[in-house]
Amino acid sequence: MTASPSNQTVTDHSLLAAARQRAKDAGLPFAGSVCPIDAWALLQQGLAVIVDVRTNEERKFVGHLPESLHVAWATGTALTRNPRFVKELEGKLKDNQAVVLLLCRSGKRSALAAEAASKAGLPNVFNIEQGFEGDLDEAQQRGHSGGWRFHKLPWVQD
């Protein structure tokens, strides 16, 4: 399956422009980060594609976005880095200029993936902050203080 957003000019969309400015101010090595709610809005408007970079196991057992593409940043329980990540990502996109929003468990792996994609020449790759499950809380559990599911955005579980 390949995907790209509509032919609209999206690089100057206000959400993306603000994310780009925050990234520039913070010295991030990729286009920027958006929160899950903004990612959903961009997807619904046809302005971006979401690529889930978690493992197959995470997607299957924790859940995933039904409208997302999948390219694992790392594989297996040891989270071994996928050396073909950028090539696989490019293969899923119809347009290497497309706005791509990367999603992982907490936003950390997807930030690394966004950096790798940006360094490889993909200019519109953004990280989804908080990821699918959010950060750990005081009890060392996820899902209580951020993330895609916390915000009650659409997802499915196999």
Side-chain angles (χ1 to χ4, degrees), residues 6-17:
S6 66
N7 291 331
Q8 293 176 277
T9 302
V10 296
T11 55
D12 63 352
H13 186 280
S14 62
L15 290 174
L16 299 174

Side-chain angles (χ1 to χ4, degrees), residues 54-119:
R54 295 175 301 150
T55 65
N56 286 324
E57 294 84 1
E58 286 175 290
R59 288 173 48 89
K60 179 170 182 58
F61 296 115
V62 179
H64 63 277
L65 287 59
E67 298 180 36
S68 66
L69 301 175
H70 180 239
V71 179
W73 170 250
T75 59
T77 57
L79 294 178
T80 303
R81 167 83 162 75
N82 175 2
R84 298 175 311 280
F85 173 78
V86 172
K87 290 292 181 198
E88 291 176 18
L89 178 61
E90 289 172 329
K92 296 268 178 136
L93 302 173
K94 288 181 181 175
D95 176 4
N96 284 351
Q97 300 298 310
V99 173
V100 179
L101 310 176
L102 300 182
L103 178 75
C104 71
R105 178 180 59 197
S106 66
K108 292 174 180 62
R109 278 179 284 163
S110 51
L112 294 172
E115 179 178 354
S118 294
K119 286 180 178 176

Side-chain angles (χ1 to χ4, degrees), residues 31-48:
S33 295
V34 297
C35 72
I37 293 169
D38 289 346
W40 175 245
L42 291 163
L43 179 68
Q44 289 301 289
Q45 294 171 36
L47 300 177

